[in-house]
Amino acid sequence: MFLSRISIYLKLFSFIILFSSGAFSETSFPGMDIFTSSANLSMGGAGYLKPSPLSSNINPSIYGGKVFSASIIKYPAGIASQNIGISFLFKNNTFGNFSINNISYGIFEGYNENLISTGTYSANDTKISASYGKKILRLPIKLGVQSSLYLSKYGDYTFNIFSFSSGFSFKAEEQKLKVGMSIHNLAISTSDLAVDLHPRLVISGFKRLKHLPLGLFLDLTSINSSVLTVFIGGEFDINKNLQFRLGSSNRKFNQNIKKDIFSSVIGASGFGFGYKKKDILINYSIYMFGTGALSQSLEINIAI
């Protein structure tokens, strides 16, 4: 079991180093905010105001209709994320989401101190989330809350984390403008090891341009009022069936290892396409890290 522990810890360590400044928020527990939505990944992390029953990075006051969604995201080192979610519409201008997100780090061979095999085991994280939101009377304001239970097992160690998020959003219909503010990862942990959990404040904006088929997303995130991350993304409506998305963030400066000009410029950026046919929307996305490593995602959304 000793050698298997080393194997899994090395794999997890490389995963955290590679993604801690890219795929995750600045929390010291990276699995809390891994990409789970293809649209979010394609805009480089932007899109806290884009509706999605899957996304971990979303203002909980956002709702986009009754939808069932499923996605799979492939990371380097054979790591994969599988996600399903559904959004509901209730009575009295209320709505909600429910999602299950799982990330698998792979199958490992266990050995004891005498190098005798003890069989295989897996390492994975599972996050179960539920959110509830409401429109305030006839005002263009929505409030929302989200609670999540995070269950994680790394070899002999387990993590159990309960987190809470809340937010509000305001929509100016005539200006085609939306702004919001949310706070994420208000959390407590009952784990075998100590985990540093820091709340994240997010200020978001969305603007649909008047003379172009383009929607722009801008998100500012901060932890402990010290680390500011800026995300910007865009969603182009090429025609009634086809969408194109792209985006990036100032994380490209932290991720820049000066490997080559292409990686330095494109690092911490994403792009992707969406194809809609009747009630079905299929998204495909690619995210490139500053190291040159790629993540790919495929997602299906079905209106219900």
Side-chain angles (χ1 to χ4, degrees):
M1 196 67 180
F2 175 74
L3 293 180
S4 62
R5 287 182 187 175
I6 294 178
S7 173
I8 190 173
Y9 294 158
L10 286 176
K11 192 169 186 179
L12 290 173
F13 179 75
S14 63
F15 181 61
I16 291 171
I17 292 299
L18 177 63
F19 299 150
S20 61
S21 62
F24 305 125
S25 71
E26 299 87 346
T27 179
S28 57
F29 196 71
M32 290 287 289
D33 296 302
I34 188 172
F35 282 133
T36 54
S37 166
S38 179
N40 185 249
L41 183 144
S42 67
M43 293 192 292
Y48 278 78
L49 295 182
K50 181 171 178 60
S52 171
L54 295 177
S55 181
S56 296
N57 300 320
I58 187 173
N59 185 315
S61 69
I62 298 301
Y63 174 76
K66 296 187 291 183
V67 178
F68 171 81
S69 300
S71 73
I72 182 169
I73 301 177
K74 293 289 187 179
Y75 291 97
I79 297 170
S81 172
Q82 305 90 22
N83 316 279
I84 59 172
I86 188 169
S87 57
F88 306 92
L89 180 64
F90 304 123
K91 295 180 179 180
N92 301 320
N93 294 318
T94 61
F95 52 88
N97 292 331
F98 177 80
S99 65
I100 301 176
N101 313 118
N102 176 267
I103 179 170
S104 173
Y105 298 103
I107 304 296
F108 299 86
E109 183 73 27
Y111 295 91
N112 62 19
E113 287 76 4
N114 297 317
L115 299 182
I116 299 176
S117 176
T118 58
T120 60
Y121 64 94
S122 62
N124 60 81
D125 302 331
T126 300
K127 184 179 181 181
I128 303 172
S129 303
S131 66
Y132 177 83
K134 179 178 177 60
K135 182 177 180 181
I136 304 302
L137 300 177
R138 296 185 179 182
L139 299 175
I141 298 175
K142 294 180 181 179
L143 302 176
V145 295
Q146 181 186 67
S147 60
S148 300
L149 177 62
Y150 191 92
L151 307 172
S152 185
K153 185 173 179 62
Y154 302 152
D156 294 335
Y157 296 101
T158 60
F159 295 89
N160 301 303
I161 300 172
F162 178 79
S163 68
F164 177 82
S165 304
S166 65
F168 75 90
S169 58
F170 170 84
K171 184 177 182 180
E173 193 69 43
E174 292 185 3
Q175 290 76 23
K176 297 183 178 180
L177 175 70
K178 190 182 297 182
V179 294
M181 179 180 291
S182 54
I183 186 167
H184 303 256
N185 293 346
L186 296 167
I188 58 174
S189 172
T190 58
S191 307
D192 296 338
L193 298 176
V195 178
D196 293 328
L197 301 170
H198 304 292
R200 181 175 77 258
L201 178 66
V202 182
I203 299 175
S204 307
F206 170 77
K207 170 68 176 177
R208 184 160 296 280
L209 302 187
K210 185 176 182 180
H211 300 292
L212 287 175
L214 169 64
L216 292 176
F217 294 87
L218 176 65
D219 300 286
L220 309 176
T221 74
S222 176
I223 291 182
N224 295 334
S225 302
S226 58
V227 180
L228 178 66
T229 306
V230 181
F231 300 92
I232 185 169
E235 185 176 72
F236 298 84
D237 294 320
I238 298 175
N239 55 45
K240 66 178 183 179
N241 300 115
L242 188 62
Q243 298 174 329
F244 174 69
R245 304 183 190 93
L246 79 166
S248 188
S249 73
N250 62 346
R251 286 176 174 168
K252 65 169 63 265
F253 303 110
N254 296 330
Q255 294 184 31
N256 186 10
I257 62 172
K258 299 181 180 179
K259 178 181 179 181
D260 52 56
I261 296 178
F262 181 79
S263 297
S264 298
V265 175
I266 305 298
S269 300
F271 70 91
F273 294 90
Y275 179 76
K276 185 175 183 180
K277 189 69 173 180
K278 295 184 179 179
D279 294 331
I280 299 176
L281 172 64
I282 298 176
N283 294 320
Y284 174 75
S285 304
I286 293 177
Y287 182 91
M288 181 173 180
F289 299 91
T291 60
L294 297 176
S295 291
Q296 301 182 65
S297 173
L298 182 65
E299 176 180 318
I300 184 170
N301 300 273
I302 303 174
I304 55 178

